[in-house]
């Protein structure tokens, strides 16, 4: 006869019986039940180690008196999906992740949850879910892939991370590296589990989570396979039990002030342009009205204190060695709201008071920034009446003001073919349209065409403009998120080959240099093309997704 509590409810007999079928005892079910929300799979290097990390988190939960219960959600690798596969699904997967976590957490009525996640859409999806569920929550992001340092051969002494692979495609196409070198870069760069060792969306969002106080210190930048991460996972398990005991819920940490802090931090290190989509969507989730224009306003007041591959030679492991997010926040503290809470039990002011650091050039001081403005600028003009995004921290100075002539492409495949066929020349402005949230549908990422462009040596003489988006790791004069998107009749839809276009980052302008009357006449003549995908999830997504200006959330 098993032991049971004399106060147990008969109405819960069915629930308890089914838990017994999963192997849980009466003693297990008396304790706080903590969901381990895991995005483990073996088709994504950022997640392939998360099953192992989950075991250490469970140890911490059990040691602190809780019962861990694990379930999974999906996790697409942007890089694999963007390499010629059906990448239209990548951004929309954010909403599936959020909904799947929300459904499971609310259906099971967990006492708390630990989010195990890496990579571009998974961290944001779990952030949205955390806001919706509003129970005690802590994040354990998966850590950073090791950089590859070649010890011998033709690449001896050189360091490579994932973004270098994409640029190598362009370099090989331009005859700048050999087939042997391309093969070595391809076959050896991804040399461990973890998020790609560059300041792409994955690491930007991991840093955002740490800056918001939702993960323990150093979680964002610590190596995926270090012994320190093992301890961090156990401590994460113990910390969720403290949050449950104190009754601290996710919305105690996800606030308008903590989102603003995270934006400032990410702008100060040249973070991903994709964070604009994710943080606007998160703001909407908690009743805010953040748009991409708010990022521009903030960026004008936040200096650039650091930047990383591919925008510089520094990688994320070196960022960690220099102190990572905590040191950057310490140096930025005069510009942050220091009252925000952290899962370690302190507010930001209390936490930063104890942070000491040695001066590394990798994280500059507030008085000696790399640039006076943060990493992102929002341009507006006759080509983008509702704005467009550029990662200004990752472009050549001569491209801050650029005029060129349009070459128009109706989809990503066309621009890839043109680049690999050497049909692009200096002075071109490459316009890729119908890749927005509704028009694609799904808002594809044009990271590979952008990297090929830079690898071919055209990053200081050719611009690229789209209503789609770019990788956080994109560098070069690549303008995305053009609003309104082409499928909604934005001016991008009526650009013709040979039209002159002006980009002026300092003055935040993006203009189609033809008379306004000609723009209006072309728009009157324009006919909305048929949407390519009308069925399945993407068919639904394209009908109800918001503008990129607001974060491409489901309305």
């Amino acid at each position: 006869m098993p032991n049971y509590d004399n106060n147990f409810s008969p109405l819960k007999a069915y629930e308890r019986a089914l838990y017994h079928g999963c192997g849980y005892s009466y003693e297990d079910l008396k304790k706080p039940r903590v969901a381990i929300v895991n995005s483990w799979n073996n088709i994504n290097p950022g997640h392939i180690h998360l099953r192992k990390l989950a075991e250490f988190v469970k140890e911490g939960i059990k040691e602190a008196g809780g019962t861990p219960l694990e379930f999974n959600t999906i996790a697409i690798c942007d890089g694999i999906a963007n390499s010629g596969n059906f990448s239209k699904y990548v951004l929309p997967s954010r909403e599936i992740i959020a909904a799947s976590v929300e459904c499971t957490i609310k259906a099971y009525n967990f006492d708390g949850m630990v989010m195990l996640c890496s990579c571009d859409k998974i961290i944001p999806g779990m952030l949205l879910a955390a806001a919706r569920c509003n129970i005690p929550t802590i994040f354990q992001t998966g850590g950073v892939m090791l950089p590859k340092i070649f010890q011998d051969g033709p690449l001896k002494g050189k360091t490579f991370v994932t973004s270098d692979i994409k640029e190598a495609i362009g370099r090989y196409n331009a005859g700048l590296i050999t087939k042997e070198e391309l093969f070595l870069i391809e076959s050896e760069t991804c040399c461990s589990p973890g998020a790609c060792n560059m300041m792409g969306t994955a690491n930007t969002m991991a840093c955002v989570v740490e800056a918001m106080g939702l993960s323990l210190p150093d979680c964002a930048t610590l190596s995926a396979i270090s012994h320190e991460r093992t301890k961090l996972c156990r401590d994460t398990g113990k910390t969720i039990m403290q949050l449950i005991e104190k009754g601290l819920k996710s919305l105690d940490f996800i606030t308008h002030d903590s989102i603003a802090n995270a934006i400032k931090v990410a702008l100060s290190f040249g973070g991903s342009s994709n964070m604009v989509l994710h943080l606007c969507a998160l703001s909407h989730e908690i009743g805010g009205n953040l748009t991409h224009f708010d990022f521009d306003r903030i960026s004008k007041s936040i200096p650039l204190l650091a930047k990383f591959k591919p925008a510089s030679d520094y990688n994320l492991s070196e960022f960690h060695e220099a102190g990572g997010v905590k040191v950057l926040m310490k140096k930025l503290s005069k510009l942050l709201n220091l009252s925000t809470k952290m899962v370690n039990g302190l507010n930001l002011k209390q936490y930063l008071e104890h942070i000491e650091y040695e001066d590394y050039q990798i994280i500059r001081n507030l008085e000696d920034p790399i640039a006076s403005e943060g990493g992102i600028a929002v341009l507006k003009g006759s080509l983008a009446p509702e704005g467009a995004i550029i990662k200004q921290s990752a472009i050549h100075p001569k491209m801050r003001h650029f005029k060129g002539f349009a070459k128009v492409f109706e989809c990503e495949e066309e621009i890839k073919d043109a680049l690999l066929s050497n049909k692009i020349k200096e002075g071109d402005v490459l316009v890729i349209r119908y890749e927005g949230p509704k028009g694609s549908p799904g808002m594809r990422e044009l990271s590979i065409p952008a990297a090929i462009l830079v690898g071919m040596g055209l990053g200081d003489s050719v611009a690229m403009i789209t209503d789609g988006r770019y990788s956080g790791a994109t560098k070069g004069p690549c303008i995305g998120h053009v609003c309104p998107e082409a499928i909604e009749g934005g001016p991008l839809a009526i650009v013709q080959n040979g039209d002159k276009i002006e980009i002026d980052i300092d003055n935040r302008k993006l203009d189609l240099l033809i008379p306004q009357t000609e723009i209006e006449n072309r728009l009157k003549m324009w006919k909305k093309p048929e949407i390519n995908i009308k069925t399945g999830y993407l068919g639904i997504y394209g009908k109800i997704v918001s503008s990129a200006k607001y974060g491409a959330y489901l309305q």
Side-chain angles (χ1 to χ4, degrees):
M1 182 83 176
N3 292 323
Y4 58 85
D5 190 330
N6 287 327
N7 296 318
F8 82 99
S9 167
L11 291 175
K12 293 288 186 179
Y14 192 35
E15 175 186 313
R16 289 193 297 270
L18 292 168
Y19 270 126
H20 294 329
C22 298
Y24 297 103
S25 68
Y26 280 105
E27 288 301 314
D28 292 331
L29 299 179
K30 290 177 186 176
K31 300 171 184 176
R33 302 173 195 178
V34 183
I36 307 294
V37 185
N38 199 341
S39 51
W40 170 86
N41 62 49
N42 62 8
I43 57 171
N44 183 337
H47 295 73
I48 199 165
H49 62 308
L50 295 185
R51 173 181 279 180
K52 182 178 180 180
L53 296 188
E55 295 305 313
F56 300 126
V57 175
K58 289 176 187 177
E59 288 176 11
I61 291 170
K62 290 176 181 178
E63 186 178 329
T67 296
L69 302 94
E70 185 176 2
F71 69 90
N72 278 78
T73 189
I74 62 171
I76 294 172
C77 173
D78 286 47
I80 292 173
N82 287 333
S83 297
N85 299 303
F86 218 41
S87 60
K88 294 173 188 252
Y89 281 96
V90 175
L91 179 61
S93 75
R94 183 187 72 184
E95 266 52 45
I96 291 194
I97 292 160
S100 69
V101 175
E102 176 193 5
C103 288
T104 308
I105 292 296
K106 290 194 172 182
Y108 274 67
N109 195 29
F110 287 107
D111 296 299
M113 58 181 169
V114 180
M115 303 292 211
L116 264 73
C117 48
S118 296
C119 299
D120 300 25
K121 309 306 169 291
I122 300 83
I123 298 173
M126 289 195 184
L127 276 170
L128 295 177
R132 291 176 194 173
C133 296
N134 194 27
I135 64 173
T137 301
I138 188 170
F139 279 68
Q140 172 62 229
T141 50
V144 178
M145 182 184 289
L146 296 176
K148 173 61 181 180
I149 304 172
F150 284 91
Q151 303 297 333
D152 51 32
L155 301 174
K156 183 178 180 179
K158 294 183 179 180
T159 300
F160 286 83
V161 301
T162 320
S163 57
D164 295 314
I165 303 170
K166 294 182 286 187
E167 290 186 21
I169 298 171
R171 291 177 62 78
Y172 175 73
N173 197 62
L176 300 174
I177 60 174
T178 66
K179 183 178 287 189
E180 179 190 3
E181 289 171 322
L182 177 61
F183 176 76
L184 284 170
I185 294 167
E186 172 192 329
S187 61
E188 297 195 31
T189 295
C190 295
C191 57
S192 83
C196 297
N197 198 317
M198 59 190 185
M199 194 51 84
T201 308
N203 287 313
T204 296
M205 294 309 298
C207 291
V208 160
V209 164
E210 186 174 330
M212 291 176 70
L214 282 163
S215 62
L216 293 176
D218 293 325
C219 188
T221 55
L222 193 61
S223 163
I225 60 173
S226 64
H227 293 299
E228 292 90 344
R229 185 158 294 278
T230 300
K231 181 180 184 303
L232 190 69
C233 287
R234 290 194 180 96
D235 289 344
T236 295
K238 295 173 185 177
T239 303
I240 187 60
M241 296 304 298
Q242 295 168 9
L243 296 176
I244 292 169
E245 183 180 348
K246 295 174 183 176
L248 289 171
K249 301 178 180 180
S250 54
L251 292 185
D252 290 310
F253 305 97
I254 302 172
T255 66
H256 299 298
D257 287 336
S258 71
I259 291 173
N261 278 352
I263 292 171
K264 291 174 182 178
V265 170
L267 288 171
S268 76
F269 61 59
S272 166
S273 56
N274 282 315
M275 71 168 167
V276 177
L277 295 171
H278 303 320
L279 291 175
C280 285
L282 184 61
S283 170
H284 169 78
E285 200 67 53
I286 64 170
N289 55 7
L290 202 66
T291 75
H292 57 203
F293 289 114
D294 292 298
F295 281 78
D296 190 64
R297 171 181 54 79
I298 297 169
S299 192
K300 288 178 179 177
S301 65
I302 297 296
L304 185 70
L305 301 186
K307 59 181 182 177
F308 304 97
K309 273 184 171 284
S312 80
D313 290 331
Y314 294 120
N315 61 57
L316 268 291
S317 299
E318 290 169 311
F319 182 34
H320 180 74
E321 290 166 6
V325 174
K326 63 182 184 296
V327 168
L328 193 145
M329 293 184 81
K330 175 82 169 185
K331 293 190 172 188
L332 201 63
S333 58
K334 292 179 182 177
L335 303 176
L336 301 177
N337 184 321
L338 300 180
S339 67
T340 58
K341 294 180 180 178
M342 306 180 70
V343 291
N344 63 5
L346 304 175
N347 65 30
L348 188 56
K349 182 177 186 296
Q350 293 167 331
Y351 171 61
L352 293 180
E353 282 175 352
H354 301 290
I355 301 301
E356 298 180 355
Y357 59 87
E358 296 179 22
D359 268 324
Y360 283 80
Q361 190 67 4
I362 191 171
I363 305 175
R364 302 280 276 273
N365 293 316
L366 204 58
E367 300 76 23
D368 180 33
I370 298 169
S372 61
E373 293 184 351
I376 286 174
V378 180
L379 314 183
K380 188 178 179 181
S382 59
L383 190 53
E386 294 182 6
I389 300 288
I390 187 166
K391 189 172 178 180
Q392 64 172 339
S393 60
I395 65 169
H396 194 282
K398 69 184 283 188
M399 297 301 289
R400 293 190 68 83
H401 186 206
F402 180 74
K403 291 181 182 179
F405 296 94
K407 277 190 178 177
V408 180
F409 304 89
E410 306 299 333
C411 63
E412 179 187 7
E413 288 80 5
E414 290 186 6
I415 183 62
K416 281 182 180 176
D417 290 344
L419 284 163
L420 294 175
S421 302
N422 293 308
K423 294 178 180 178
I424 306 304
K425 65 180 189 300
E426 293 185 6
D428 285 342
V429 178
L430 311 177
V431 174
I432 308 98
R433 59 193 175 201
Y434 301 115
E435 291 290 4
K438 293 180 181 290
S440 187
M443 201 178 187
R444 279 199 286 190
E445 177 183 289
L446 276 66
S447 65
I448 291 179
I452 292 172
L453 180 79
V454 171
M456 292 174 68
L458 297 172
D460 62 352
S461 60
V462 174
M464 191 180 287
I465 300 173
T466 182
D467 50 5
R469 59 191 178 85
Y470 292 101
S471 163
T474 296
K475 71 176 180 181
C478 300
I479 299 169
H481 305 209
V482 173
C483 296
E485 62 174 289
I487 202 71
E488 294 192 303
L492 202 69
I494 52 86
V495 178
Q496 296 177 3
N497 287 322
D499 286 345
K500 198 169 189 180
I501 293 173
E502 181 176 19
I503 301 164
D504 186 349
I505 295 174
D506 291 338
N507 292 305
R508 301 301 202 258
K509 300 293 289 183
L510 180 60
D511 286 315
L512 180 60
L513 298 180
I514 62 174
Q516 184 62 32
T517 54
E518 174 66 10
I519 293 175
E520 292 169 2
N521 287 336
R522 289 187 192 179
L523 286 171
K524 287 178 184 177
M525 298 293 292
W526 174 76
K527 292 183 179 180
K528 183 176 179 177
E530 284 287 316
I531 299 290
N532 292 328
I533 301 170
K534 298 181 180 179
T535 60
Y537 175 51
L538 287 184
I540 298 168
Y541 182 89
K543 293 174 183 176
I544 61 176
V545 68
S546 80
S547 165
K549 173 183 175 182
Y550 301 109
Y553 66 84
L554 297 188
Q555 303 178 91

